[in-house]
Amino acid sequence: MSAVLAEPETTWRTVPLSEAVEISPKADRAVLTDTTLVSFVPMAAVGAGNGQIDTSTIRPYAEVKKGYTHFRDGDVLFAKITPCMENGKMAVAHGLHNGVGFGSTEFHVLRPRAGVDSRYVYHFVSGAKYRNEAAHHMTGAVGQKRVPVSFLERSEIPLPSLHEQRRIVAEIEKQFSRLDQAVASLQRVKAQLKRYKASVLKAAVEGRLVETEADCARREGRGFETGAELLQRILDTRRSQWKGKGKYKEPAAPETSGLPELPEGWVWATYAQLGDVTTGFTPPTIDTSNFGGALPFMKPTDLDAGANVASAREYLSMQGAAKGRILPAKSILVTCIGATIGKTGLSSVPCATNQQINALSVVTATVLPEYAYYWTASPGGQRQIIDNASATTLPILNKSKFAALPVPVPPRTEQHRIVAEVDRRLSIVREVEAEVDANLKRAQALRQAVLARAFAGTSS
């Protein structure tokens, strides 16, 4: 990567940003009529960290002249509210209809003065160094903190000649273009890995990943315990060992009409037949003694890591855990509400969950927890979750519906082979994913290094 350097003869000045740009200038409303069509740019139309802006939404001036921020082609939009500012929602406005735009009131508008290039300003204020400094000067309540105009006015920007600014911008964007190509390639690899993982899980729970126990038994001239026999044995044992309150309630068998045919020796069961299905709880937050212990308290955001989830963002004391139920290690955790419904994890340690998570604690003599997790995370398992969630604005899969979902159960020895082969293949996927993620972080660090070098204001 070539360095972005100032030309030796260039004189750099460090000036207040307010000398380089006009901050939130007033609109020239004399040139606009109520029927003038202008671009409308909400916060969602500006990309995070990439300078992209969508100006395709068009509205008449009459609809936007009150309650929105005005800008024009060449202005720099700077998101002032958290977390948009920290995420780098900034862009140079361009391609505006009639050269005019209106948008979110959460934008500061920076209009370059004569002799100042808008792309140069954008690259400076969008850099991590400037955003970090801006974050430290935010004011307001938590969740509604904003960068004040006073910070922008007092902050400083290194300012060479216009010619040098444009040379620097050209070099930055050349380097960024190369990095963007590399990032796009890495993202394609991630997408391919995701598809491969899904295909492995699909093959595993359809009996196509390893030799079936039925085929093994025929080849070796022996008999075997089928999935149906295994399930019945476990159900009989659970019934005979029942020590709960009241009469034992037999878990319902699955409704198999419409389900695909299973391999020889497999059987359809329900989550309820395989173990205990529970929903989490919310400890009273007014009592801080409920928190700060050693028991992970899982929420949907903690399931990002997928299998073998151990860490959480919150931990309960034993007093807090007593408000609900402690799940044993190897419980399958499934988000049961909202846009992230179906997000799945396998707990590697005892834990508790909030009420947005359904959990299955399996009778391990029936199915391996890892196998039950792989089914739940597979395309077929995910489709069952989505298809059976309530059809509302906020999809919900309550405990009873989750408990009744079907699970294909292979013979016990076949489960072991399936889990071992899935683990082998996915361990390779995880290694590649880790390398890809490391390279993506490296690319982001290189972007910031390019900007730091560009605005160093030195020829050395």
Side-chain angles (χ1 to χ4, degrees):
M1 179 179 299
S2 59
V4 184
L5 300 175
E7 294 178 344
E9 68 276 10
T10 297
T11 299
W12 287 67
R13 297 181 301 132
T14 298
V15 302
L17 185 63
S18 57
E19 288 189 20
V21 302
E22 187 179 358
I23 300 173
S24 298
K26 293 182 179 180
D28 183 3
R29 300 181 184 274
V31 300
L32 299 172
T33 67
D34 282 354
T35 58
T36 302
L37 296 179
V38 299
S39 291
F40 181 71
V41 182
M43 185 63 72
V46 174
N50 56 21
Q52 294 179 358
I53 181 171
D54 180 1
T55 60
S56 60
T57 301
I58 308 300
R59 292 188 181 179
Y61 173 60
E63 291 184 10
V64 297
K65 64 181 179 180
K66 293 182 180 179
Y68 294 103
T69 298
H70 164 265
F71 44 89
R72 68 189 189 197
D73 277 332
D75 288 348
V76 178
L77 302 184
F78 181 100
K80 59 186 175 184
I81 192 169
T82 190
C84 299
M85 191 283 295
E86 295 94 320
N87 293 339
K89 276 185 167 279
M90 293 136 198
V92 177
H94 61 87
L96 302 175
H97 199 80
N98 288 318
V100 177
F102 285 80
S104 170
T105 57
E106 300 297 351
F107 286 125
H108 284 309
V109 176
L110 312 179
R111 180 167 298 165
R113 300 184 188 276
V116 179
D117 185 89
S118 58
R119 297 293 299 174
Y120 180 86
V121 173
Y122 160 74
H123 284 303
F124 178 75
V125 300
S126 65
K129 180 180 179 181
Y130 190 85
R131 285 185 284 117
N132 289 340
E133 186 179 355
H136 284 106
H137 288 81
M138 281 181 150
T139 59
V142 174
Q144 292 290 311
K145 301 186 76 172
R146 294 174 174 85
V147 178
V149 172
S150 58
F151 166 76
L152 296 178
E153 292 172 338
R154 293 194 307 268
S155 64
E156 295 183 329
I157 181 172
L159 200 63
S161 67
L162 180 59
H163 170 76
E164 178 67 358
Q165 293 173 41
R166 289 172 175 168
R167 190 188 71 83
I168 289 172
V169 167
E171 184 64 22
I172 288 173
E173 296 184 351
K174 181 177 74 174
Q175 302 294 353
F176 279 9
S177 177
R178 293 173 179 172
L179 286 171
D180 288 344
Q181 291 175 14
V183 167
S185 296
L186 291 169
Q187 294 291 5
R188 285 194 293 272
V189 172
K190 289 197 73 169
Q192 291 167 356
L193 291 172
K194 184 177 180 179
R195 288 193 293 270
Y196 175 71
K197 180 179 179 179
S199 69
V200 169
L201 294 180
K202 185 174 188 294
V205 299
E206 291 178 354
R208 298 183 291 105
L209 191 66
V210 299
E211 187 176 17
T212 66
E213 185 65 8
D215 287 341
C216 283
R218 266 191 297 272
R219 178 169 49 79
E220 297 171 3
R222 59 171 174 81
F224 69 99
E225 183 183 51
T226 66
E229 292 168 343
L230 168 67
L231 178 62
Q232 189 58 53
R233 177 166 59 83
I234 297 305
L235 290 174
D236 291 343
T237 301
R238 291 178 69 184
R239 187 185 310 108
S240 65
Q241 296 180 352
W242 171 250
K243 296 179 180 180
K245 295 180 180 180
K247 185 178 179 181
Y248 177 75
K249 185 177 180 181
E250 195 78 35
E255 171 56 56
T256 57
S257 60
L259 293 177
E261 183 178 352
L262 292 174
E264 182 182 353
W266 290 41
V267 68
W268 285 106
T270 62
Y271 283 115
Q273 289 179 307
L274 302 182
D276 296 327
V277 175
T278 57
T279 298
F281 66 103
T282 299
T285 56
I286 56 174
D287 189 347
T288 57
S289 63
N290 289 327
F291 298 88
L295 185 74
F297 184 59
M298 299 296 185
K299 298 180 180 180
T301 50
D302 298 316
L303 304 187
D304 293 340
N308 297 319
V309 174
S311 61
R313 290 166 174 80
E314 285 189 278
Y315 287 77
L316 296 180
S317 64
M318 296 319 299
Q319 174 181 318
K323 309 291 183 182
R325 182 175 186 272
I326 298 178
L327 301 171
K330 299 297 181 85
S331 293
I332 294 91
L333 313 178
V334 185
T335 303
C336 59
I337 187 171
T340 59
I341 191 168
K343 187 186 290 185
T344 305
L346 180 67
S347 67
S348 59
V349 294
C351 67
T353 74
N354 76 356
Q355 76 277 17
Q356 294 180 316
I357 293 176
N358 287 323
L360 168 69
S361 302
V362 302
V363 176
T364 54
T366 314
V367 293
L368 299 177
E370 294 84 357
Y371 172 81
Y373 164 73
Y374 288 143
W375 158 255
T376 308
S378 74
Q382 290 289 295
R383 186 168 58 253
Q384 290 291 339
I385 291 170
I386 300 302
D387 289 350
N388 286 277
S390 58
T392 62
T393 303
L394 190 68
I396 298 175
L397 185 71
N398 62 33
K399 186 179 75 170
S400 61
K401 284 188 175 182
F402 175 70
L405 292 182
V407 182
V409 179
R412 180 78 173 176
T413 51
E414 190 173 341
Q415 292 176 37
H416 280 281
R417 290 198 299 274
I418 289 171
V419 169
E421 182 61 17
V422 171
D423 286 349
R424 185 186 72 81
R425 297 196 186 196
L426 295 194
S427 68
I428 298 172
V429 170
R430 286 190 289 271
E431 289 177 5
V432 178
E433 284 179 331
E435 184 64 28
V436 169
D437 288 340
N439 284 325
L440 286 170
K441 289 182 179 179
R442 192 173 296 118
Q444 183 58 35
L446 284 171
R447 289 178 73 92
Q448 297 307 318
V450 167
L451 292 176
R453 187 71 168 167
F455 297 107
T458 176
S459 59
S460 59

